[in-house]
Amino acid sequence: MTNEKNILQDSHGRDHGYLRISLIERCNLRCTYCMPEEGVKLSPKSHLMTYEEIYEIAKTFVNHGVTKIRLTGGEPLIRKDIPVILEKLATLPVELSITSNAVIIDKFIDILKANGVKKINVSLDSLDAAKFKHITRRHEFEKVYNNILLLVKEGFIVKVNAVLMKGFNDNEIIDFIHFTKDLPISVRFIEFMPFDGNKWDMSKMVTYAEVMNYVNTSFSKDQIVRLQDAPNDTSKNYKIEGYKGCFAIISSVTNPFCDSCNRLRLTANGQLKNCLFSSTESDLLTTLRAGNTIEPVIQKAVQAKFKIRGGMDTLDKLQQPKLHNNNRSMITIGG
Ligand code: SAM
């Protein structure tokens, strides 16, 4: 029998109130660290959740205590029925947010507002158009940059995610921080993480400590303000005195925040992942389509969650390709 009361609490006492739903495996960018060069094998359309199924599964999670849902992908905004998905999910008592590369987000301002989406995370790994093209394999820098300005102007709460890679964009850390001088955004530097096919190695990663070295050599001690992190926050938050925005570091590799993890992930083909780094998945969609209740599957998956990074609890384990490649590539997980 399913313990109806608290199926979202794991064996380490963590409650999971935050569900990230990937809507699509495809993307309009081709970021090298996110998807393998040769592309990914896409699920047949019939294996992807329909908007009704997304709603049914989300509703079950909300009934059991989920209060935040973030839509991601692939690129969630290239899914044709995104307006209906937003409308359906907006009827649930949750905070609805979205992670996007913002290439086409200017066309969705009204729809996002009408459905109560206030928080938008935008990925931007370089402030230099040529480097942007290099990392995304697409010429869309101007659109993304202008759309960030537009989102701020339209009153959205905007976080800009930059994955740092040594020798590529670590020399832009201070430029990104200056970007927060007149814009009320949070720039979040993300440690490059290993996933299937992304050619990760430790030496390419820029660590939390290294980011802070750049910051400490460019600003004086009394200019750097350590901000209070929110509960369940994945980031260490800072600002420069007098700047409108702030910056943060997401140190999943060198300083994992697993103790306070409250996140679960649903892939576009309806698989529940209890951790970004987990090598196992639980098939909610097949269960739902068979007409069965999905709660026991959810409960089992949550109970099986490892204490740290899908069981890769040391840096040594995380560095072993046979362990971290035993997972999807990020584009099909939904970051
Ligand atoms: N298309 C949307 C976007 O670009 O934000 C949503 C999906 S994308 C997979 C979500 C986030 O995952 C992005 O911020 C991206 O930078 C991050 N990401 C992808 N691969 C990563 C990796 N290997 N290490 C760290 N972050 C990664």
Side-chain angles (χ1 to χ4, degrees):
M1 258 299 269
T2 303
N3 168 8
E4 285 287 332
K5 266 169 107 184
N6 209 353
I7 67 169
L8 298 184
Q9 188 176 78
D10 71 10
S11 60
H12 308 284
R14 294 172 296 200
D15 287 310
H16 294 80
Y18 186 1
L19 179 67
R20 300 171 76 102
I21 306 179
S22 173
L23 299 183
I24 189 164
E25 296 170 348
R26 289 181 296 112
C27 189
N28 44 356
L29 298 181
R30 292 282 177 277
C31 300
T32 54
Y33 56 80
C34 186
M35 65 186 295
E37 209 170 345
E38 63 281 10
V40 287
K41 194 166 176 286
L42 297 173
S43 303
K45 195 157 182 247
S46 61
H47 292 200
L48 299 178
M49 296 182 292
T50 63
Y51 74 83
E52 291 100 334
E53 289 164 339
I54 292 171
Y55 174 71
E56 278 311 310
I57 295 176
K59 195 170 72 180
T60 304
F61 277 95
V62 172
N63 287 342
H64 287 280
V66 160
T67 55
K68 285 165 81 173
I69 291 181
R70 176 171 290 277
L71 303 179
T72 178
E75 172 50 37
L77 295 180
I78 65 171
R79 187 163 158 154
K80 293 270 175 332
D81 57 357
I82 178 80
V84 192
I85 295 172
L86 285 168
E87 264 170 42
K88 295 281 286 178
L89 294 179
T91 64
L92 298 173
V94 282
E95 177 191 293
L96 195 55
S97 57
I98 192 161
T99 297
S100 168
N101 57 36
V103 172
I104 55 169
I105 208 163
D106 48 309
K107 301 184 176 64
F108 292 89
I109 301 292
D110 293 343
I111 293 172
L112 292 166
K113 282 188 180 174
N115 292 296
V117 177
K118 296 195 173 70
K119 296 183 177 173
I120 302 184
N121 290 2
V122 177
S123 306
L124 177 67
D125 303 314
S126 177
L127 292 167
D128 174 298
K131 278 198 200 175
F132 178 96
K133 157 80 184 13
H134 179 79
I135 197 85
T136 64
R137 304 183 183 118
R138 294 289 182 273
H139 271 295
E140 303 285 16
F141 175 78
E142 298 288 325
K143 277 193 202 150
V144 175
Y145 187 87
N146 289 333
N147 278 342
I148 291 174
L149 303 184
L150 175 71
L151 289 172
V152 172
K153 187 169 141 253
E154 292 289 341
F156 291 98
I157 299 166
V158 179
K159 291 181 179 168
V160 171
N161 291 338
V163 177
L164 293 178
M165 274 155 293
K166 212 161 259 173
F168 175 71
N169 57 359
D170 47 347
N171 62 347
E172 293 191 67
I173 291 170
I174 302 305
D175 295 342
F176 268 113
I177 293 177
H178 287 316
F179 192 37
T180 71
K181 187 172 183 188
D182 298 315
L183 275 186
I185 56 171
S186 169
V187 169
R188 299 169 345 140
F189 300 113
I190 306 181
E191 287 180 351
F192 178 36
M193 296 182 281
F195 294 101
D196 186 33
N198 76 352
K199 301 195 178 131
W200 181 84
D201 87 63
M202 192 83 177
S203 66
K204 292 183 189 162
M205 194 181 72
V206 184
T207 65
Y208 175 22
E210 287 166 335
V211 174
M212 289 316 293
N213 269 344
Y214 278 101
V215 175
N216 290 324
T217 47
S218 304
F219 299 97
S220 66
K221 249 194 186 141
D222 48 347
Q223 281 180 297
I224 307 165
V225 184
R226 177 74 168 96
L227 301 171
Q228 177 80 44
D229 303 327
N232 306 111
D233 219 336
T234 53
S235 51
K236 318 277 186 302
N237 295 274
Y238 295 82
K239 75 177 285 168
I240 299 301
E241 192 63 58
Y243 282 21
K244 286 192 178 151
C246 50
F247 67 96
I249 298 105
I250 301 187
S251 53
S252 331
V253 177
T254 63
N255 266 285
F257 26 80
C258 305
D259 278 353
S260 62
C261 182
N262 65 344
R263 292 162 166 74
L264 294 169
R265 294 183 147 81
L266 182 62
T267 65
N269 65 345
Q271 308 297 306
L272 181 63
K273 282 184 78 74
N274 60 15
C275 170
L276 189 55
F277 289 108
S278 161
S279 59
T280 58
E281 313 183 334
S282 304
D283 191 347
L284 299 190
L285 186 58
T286 304
T287 311
L288 183 79
R289 286 184 178 175
N292 295 321
T293 159
I294 60 173
E295 276 103 331
V297 185
I298 297 174
Q299 183 172 31
K300 201 164 162 217
V302 171
Q303 281 302 308
K305 180 161 170 157
F306 280 98
K307 193 161 190 275
I308 297 177
R309 275 191 313 234
M312 293 180 283
D313 50 2
T314 61
L315 266 182
D316 186 45
K317 285 188 195 163
L318 191 69
Q319 283 182 76
Q320 293 177 31
K322 73 172 188 309
L323 294 181
H324 67 241
N325 282 350
N326 205 6
N327 189 359
R328 294 165 174 244
S329 55
M330 185 64 137
I331 189 164
T332 59
I333 300 176

